[in-house]
Amino acid sequence: EGQLLESGGGWEQPGGSLRLSCSASGFIFSSYAMSWVRQAPGRGLEWVSTINEYDETYYADSVKGRFTISRDNSRNTLYLQMNIVRAEDAAIYFCAKKLPYITLDVWGPGTTVTVSS
Amino acid sequence: DIQMTQSPSSLSASVGDRVTITCRASQDIYSSLAWYQQKPGKAPKLLIYASSRLESGVPSRFSGSGSETDYTLTISSLQPEDIATYYCQYYSRTILSFGGGSKVEIK
């Protein structure tokens, strides 16, 4: 089934940049699409981005043009480069593994991003 | 974009009660519907996918049904460990869309 562990969260001021990482183990990382999902404090879940096994990428409108998802299959690691961050980007960011033709079955514990001046 | 609307946003029920949560899609999603359980401070856990298929290891008191635009999650006999927020989710090859969540509490 596998395990995921996010890192890279922290504090950033509006307009700044952060890079999140997600380390995968226990499954063939290169064979699966991977996604980022976030949850603002006290709010619901919001899909952020997905990258498939062919490196095709998809983004929510709220982050398109500011965030970039990527993967390094040699390191079994997923990334989310967050540029021009806004206060509304503050959230717990989860990475998750996506089953073919289905949905997210394995999630990491999340990493917290705080954006304030 | 496909919007997912859940109801109720919260509910209170007694142990042993049957609990039902509904989810409506803004257009036909052809049963590409999953349900997640999230407990405070934890990542979401997949319960059901393809509208009615139970994820391995999930107790049989959880069930899902529905088609086209209307879907339902049922807990047949609420247990104390079921206290959580439940989310429906539309999934496709390219995008995902979550409902707003339904918080389940014990009366």
Side-chain angles (χ1 to χ4, degrees):
Chain A
E1 188 178 75
Q3 290 189 320
L4 300 168
L5 183 62
E6 304 90 342
S7 60
W11 175 86
E12 183 56 72
Q13 57 188 355
S17 297
L18 278 170
R19 188 175 84 155
L20 306 184
S21 299
C22 170
S23 178
S25 61
F27 64 98
I28 303 173
F29 179 74
S30 60
S31 296
Y32 291 92
M34 300 292 296
S35 294
W36 289 98
V37 174
R38 68 185 180 184
Q39 186 169 36
R43 305 295 296 271
L45 301 169
E46 179 188 16
W47 170 71
V48 174
S49 182
T50 296
I51 183 168
N52 67 17
E53 56 269 46
Y54 309 109
D55 281 345
E56 295 169 324
T57 58
Y58 309 94
Y59 298 93
D61 288 344
S62 58
V63 307
K64 200 172 294 182
R66 299 187 300 121
F67 290 10
T68 301
I69 190 171
S70 63
R71 64 193 299 161
D72 184 340
N73 292 336
S74 69
R75 296 177 182 271
N76 289 342
T77 301
L78 175 72
Y79 301 101
L80 185 68
Q81 178 67 42
M82 305 170 60
N83 295 333
I84 319 174
V85 295
R86 306 166 178 165
E88 56 263 35
D89 294 324
I92 299 172
Y93 283 74
F94 300 99
C95 68
K97 165 176 158 275
K98 190 176 188 298
L99 289 172
Y101 305 106
I102 311 180
T103 188
L104 310 175
D105 68 328
V106 178
W107 295 61
T111 187
T112 300
V113 170
T114 302
V115 181
S116 80
S117 51
Chain B
D1 286 4
I2 295 177
Q3 309 300 321
M4 307 301 293
T5 304
Q6 267 183 257
S7 62
S9 56
S10 67
L11 67 92
S12 182
S14 300
V15 172
D17 281 355
R18 183 181 185 89
V19 169
T20 299
I21 297 169
T22 63
C23 182
R24 175 162 287 177
S26 57
Q27 62 190 72
D28 189 339
I29 59 170
Y30 301 96
S31 295
S32 295
L33 192 283
W35 290 97
Y36 290 87
Q37 176 193 67
Q38 187 181 32
K39 297 183 178 181
K42 299 293 187 181
K45 173 187 175 183
L46 178 63
L47 298 177
I48 287 168
Y49 62 95
S51 176
S52 61
R53 298 193 177 189
L54 202 65
E55 174 72 343
S56 176
V58 174
S60 59
R61 63 181 179 272
F62 291 93
S63 64
S65 64
S67 62
E68 298 184 357
T69 60
D70 295 314
Y71 299 86
T72 299
L73 173 70
T74 299
I75 308 173
S76 61
S77 177
L78 186 68
Q79 299 302 304
E81 60 266 32
D82 300 335
I83 299 315
T85 300
Y86 293 84
Y87 293 91
C88 65
Q89 180 213 52
Y90 161 70
Y91 56 86
S92 73
R93 193 177 64 82
T94 58
I95 68 167
L96 306 171
S97 181
F98 290 93
S102 297
K103 187 174 184 179
V104 174
E105 298 175 320
I106 293 286
K107 191 181 293 182

